[in-house]
Amino acid sequence: MTTWLIAGVMAFLLVPRLILRLSRVGEPPLREGEWKVCQYSGGLTGCVSVIGLLFLALVGFAYTHPGSTPAGQLLPALGLFAFFGVMGLYSAWQMSRARILWNDREIRCRGVSIAWGELQGANLLGAAQAFQLTGANGQKIWVYQAMSGFPELWKKVEEFLAPTA
């Protein structure tokens, strides 16, 4: 009992620090020519990939070592673990593709472009744990706080959304 309690407390204390370290949140954005880039770090994407692979490895282990579990109970559990494994790898793939580019004129993401002057709002959507930037023509760009370069991007967003006196 004591071992589980110590392990739980250690995980509670260390995992958030590890995630912050892997995400490189406080670091400045990358540069590509005139563009600054906000994206998930390779460490965070790799961490999500490893978790997906661990779930898939658990499927293989549970299938080859079922113990005394009846087949009717084993197959739903294997399906659930396989679902989490595949979704972990899919999430990592999507994270590796998420990139937001911005400069002094506009902000871009996957074919959507919003000029800074046309930026209408930035709403925090708690369920998605993300900010949604909205343009004058209804364009939407999603920005996540776990992306490296987020603080500098957010300063730029606040600069254009701040009321002028």
Side-chain angles (χ1 to χ4, degrees):
M1 174 68 178
T2 306
T3 305
W4 288 104
L5 183 61
I6 292 172
V9 169
M10 293 295 290
F12 179 76
L13 295 174
L14 295 178
V15 168
R17 287 185 173 91
L18 176 66
I19 297 299
L20 280 175
R21 179 87 130 151
L22 290 175
S23 66
R24 298 183 9 224
V25 170
E27 292 187 17
L30 300 173
R31 304 239 7 163
E32 287 183 7
E34 69 174 300
W35 298 96
K36 294 179 183 177
V37 181
C38 188
Q39 66 184 15
Y40 287 106
S41 70
L44 193 58
T45 304
C47 185
V48 173
S49 297
V50 167
I51 290 170
L53 290 173
L54 286 174
F55 271 104
L56 292 177
L58 184 58
V59 169
F61 180 78
Y63 183 76
T64 57
H65 298 82
S68 60
T69 307
Q73 293 176 357
L74 184 63
L75 291 179
L78 292 177
L80 183 64
F81 289 142
F83 173 77
F84 284 131
V86 169
M87 289 309 294
L89 294 176
Y90 177 74
S91 296
W93 176 62
Q94 288 293 345
M95 288 170 65
S96 69
R97 297 177 58 214
R99 293 169 42 96
I100 300 168
L101 295 100
W102 82 93
N103 59 18
D104 291 333
R105 295 182 310 276
E106 64 183 332
I107 181 170
R108 292 182 179 177
C109 180
R110 289 194 188 177
V112 176
S113 178
I114 302 173
W116 286 114
E118 296 177 0
L119 187 63
Q120 295 293 312
N123 300 318
L124 174 63
L125 300 173
Q129 296 182 3
F131 289 92
Q132 185 181 53
L133 305 179
T134 308
N137 298 328
Q139 315 97 305
K140 294 180 179 162
I141 295 177
W142 292 82
V143 182
Y144 298 89
Q145 290 176 314
M147 294 176 146
S148 62
F150 174 80
E152 191 169 327
L153 172 62
W154 195 248
K155 283 179 190 172
K156 189 77 167 174
V157 168
E158 286 179 332
E159 176 184 320
F160 281 93
L161 291 179
T164 55

